[in-house]
Amino acid sequence: MLVIGAAAAVVVAASLAFTRGGGGGKSSANTQTKAQKAQRQDAKEKAEKRRKEAAARVQRKLEAKADLAAARYAEIGLPLYCGGTRKNVVALTFDDGPSQYTESDLLPVLGARHARATFFILGRHISNYPNAILKEVKHGALGDHTWNHSSLPGLNRFALKAELGDTQRELQRAIGKPIRLFRPPYGAHDATVDEQIKAYGMLQVLWSIDSHDWKGLSATAMINRVLASVKPGSIVLMHDIHSNTMEALPTLVRALHHRGFRLVTIPEMLVLAPPTMRQLSLGAAGCE
Ligand code: NI
């Protein structure tokens, strides 16, 4: 580009020097070239601005639809393990945060690669990481992951309210938006838990791929594990509290993009690649 630009400048300068003659034309030619360059730069910036505005409009529309879709699926009351397979979309999910890694590692990697994700927040972390939570809203969707990471089966309604309901309420207060997603710790749930999640207007989100980051897998082993089974509609379980996860993330995101996957939030997946009723009723088996 630089070479072509320089060559063009010489041609313009030469032609102007020819028509006007003398040394005075040279500085005028320089001024014109500069003006043309500035004009081209200006046009480029305007086109870029228009492109960004159009993309933001499309994203806002998708998010509005996605909110409604999450509420609709929450009413059905069946847990979600994966999306449909019609579109090349994958949902990365990060549990148990925010942590010291969220703002410094996780969000910058997602932002730099235009990847969106879903964050399942622990209620007891909300007041410790108010900024991280507000930034997460810009990078994706937030969900409830209980207050204390308790295993829920066997708990009575009062205990479930303290885990599910209190976290939902505090999260909604923190971000000023309804919380429609819930993930039970350890993926453990029973009929009472399912009923309570539905009563709170939340969709229970499980996963189709466990990255095993919580088992202390190396970054490479984790990336290989996810890439070995990822397909359209996959929901990937990860945690933003482990350094191995942060180490794996840039390469994993790049590899998924390279395979043509778009990284979306769970509600966005419900719009772009909705699971069928048959898939939902089959549970985890509906993702095989
Ligand atoms: Ni967890």
Side-chain angles (χ1 to χ4, degrees), residues 95-96 122 145 149 185-186 239:
D95 291 10
D96 301 358
L122 282 185
H145 192 42
H149 212 267
Y186 319 103
H239 298 81

Side-chain angles (χ1 to χ4, degrees), residues 1-9 37:
M1 277 309 276
L2 210 66
V3 175
I4 294 167
K37 265 189 188 166

